[in-house]
Amino acid sequence: MSELQTLVGRPWKKPPFVQRPWLRWALLIGFVAYLIAAFMTIEVNWARVYEGLERGKQFVLAFTSPDFTSRSGDIWEGMIESIIMTVASSVVGIAISIPIALGAARNIAPLPVYLICRSIIAVSRALQEIIVAILLVAIFGFGPLAGFLTLSFATIGFLSKLLAEDIESMDRVQAEAIKASGARWTQWINYGVQPQVMPRLIGLSIYRLDINFRESAILGLVGAGGIGATLNTAFDRYEYDTAAAILLMIILIVMALEYLSGIIRERVQ
C-alpha cells in the first residue's frame, strides 16, 4: 500500500466547503449556539407532554384493534364523499391546468398570455390548501363543495407549473418539423407538443390524484367535508380505535393508488 502511494502520490481528498479552519469552526459553533438559543425560547409544559405521551400510547395501541364496525356508516359515508371529491376536483383541475400550462410555457405562448398564466399559477401556489379551505368554508359553508373547490384550485397550481416546465424543456426539433410542414397551431400542439409531454401529464395527474385524496382527509378537519370530518369527530371523542380504522383505510387506498400509478406510468413510458 505504501509503495502504491509512493507511485501515485497522496490520495485525493475532498476539500472542505469553507477553506479557512477558524472560519469553519466559528460557523459551526455559531450554528450550535443558535440551536441552543432557539430551543431555550420554546416554552414546554412537561405536565402536558406527560399526558400526551399517555394518549399517544393509547392511540398507538389502538392500531392493534381497529374498530371498523361501531361507526361503519359514518366511515363509509365519509370515505365515499372523499373519493367523489377527489376524483371530481382532479378531473376539473387537470382540465383547467392544461390550457394554463400551454399559456405558461414561454416557448409556445406570446408574452402577454405567458404573464397572465404565470400569474394564475403564482396565486394558486402562494395560498396553502388549509387557508383556501377555511376561506371557502366561510363563503360556502361546511361541506364537500368547499373541499372540491380547494382541491381543484390547488391542482391548477401544481399541475400547470410542472407541465409548463416540461413543455419548455421539450425537444424543439420535433415540434419545429411539424410547424415547418404548414400545420395550424392546434395541429402543431397535437402532433408536435402533445406526444412529448403526454407521459409526463399522465404521471403528474395520477400523482395529483393521490395527493388530493390525502388532502381531502386533512381538509375535513376544517369543515370541508370528506373522511377528515369523521376522523376529527373520532379524535374529539377519544375513539382512537375508530380513528385507527380510518387511518388504516386511508393508508390502504393511498398504497393502492401508488401501485396503480406505477403500472400506468410503466405502460405509458
Side-chain angles (χ1 to χ4, degrees):
M1 186 65 182
S2 58
E3 183 179 355
L4 179 61
Q5 288 185 354
T6 304
L7 293 174
V8 301
R10 296 179 61 185
W12 181 83
K13 186 179 179 181
K14 182 180 179 181
F17 182 71
V18 180
Q19 296 292 333
R20 297 178 181 177
W22 67 269
L23 180 58
R24 188 165 61 245
W25 281 105
L27 290 174
L28 181 61
I29 293 172
F31 178 69
V32 173
Y34 173 78
L35 286 181
I36 294 174
F39 181 76
M40 292 177 66
T41 60
I42 301 174
E43 296 182 2
V44 181
N45 186 335
W46 294 106
R48 293 192 62 182
V49 171
Y50 178 76
E51 295 175 2
L53 288 176
E54 181 61 28
R55 285 196 293 268
K57 177 185 174 183
Q58 294 176 8
F59 178 67
V60 173
L61 291 177
F63 278 89
T64 60
S65 58
D67 184 5
F68 292 93
T69 56
S70 297
R71 298 190 61 197
S72 58
D74 294 336
I75 294 175
W76 177 254
E77 184 180 348
M79 196 62 72
I80 292 296
E81 193 172 87
S82 269
I83 292 174
I84 293 174
M85 189 166 66
T86 299
V87 174
S89 62
S90 298
V91 171
V92 172
I94 292 167
I96 298 175
S97 297
I98 293 174
I100 293 178
L102 291 172
R106 187 67 187 92
N107 55 339
I108 65 172
L111 183 59
V113 176
Y114 170 79
L115 293 177
I116 292 173
C117 292
R118 281 289 173 178
S119 300
I120 295 173
I121 293 175
V123 170
S124 176
R125 291 176 56 80
L127 300 176
Q128 215 276 337
E129 283 90 339
I130 292 292
I131 298 174
V132 177
I134 293 173
L135 176 64
L136 292 175
V137 166
I139 296 174
F140 298 105
F142 294 103
L145 176 61
F148 161 74
L149 294 174
T150 302
L151 295 177
S152 300
F153 184 71
T155 301
I156 292 171
F158 173 85
L159 198 69
S160 299
K161 181 180 187 301
L162 296 179
L163 187 60
E165 291 177 353
D166 202 50
I167 294 173
E168 289 177 340
S169 61
M170 69 178 182
D171 182 10
R172 295 186 177 183
V173 175
Q174 179 179 342
E176 291 299 325
I178 299 296
K179 183 184 289 185
S181 66
R184 297 191 300 273
W185 189 84
T186 53
Q187 293 174 323
W188 177 51
I189 295 297
N190 191 29
Y191 297 107
V193 178
Q194 181 264 124
Q196 297 191 57
V197 300
M198 183 55 76
R200 177 75 167 162
L201 173 61
I202 293 174
L204 288 174
S205 300
I206 297 173
Y207 181 50
R208 187 63 215 185
L209 184 73
D210 178 2
I211 294 175
N212 283 347
F213 180 74
R214 285 184 280 120
E215 291 288 342
S216 70
I218 298 173
L219 297 181
L221 301 179
V222 296
I227 191 63
T230 310
L231 181 63
N232 190 33
T233 304
F235 277 123
D236 289 342
R237 295 178 178 176
Y238 298 101
E239 297 174 348
Y240 295 133
D241 47 0
T242 301
I246 295 171
L247 291 176
L248 286 175
M249 292 179 69
I250 293 174
I251 292 171
L252 287 176
I253 292 177
V254 170
M255 290 177 64
L257 286 174
E258 179 65 25
Y259 179 71
L260 181 65
S261 65
I263 294 176
I264 295 176
R265 278 199 298 266
E266 184 180 356
R267 290 182 178 275
V268 171
Q269 293 173 357

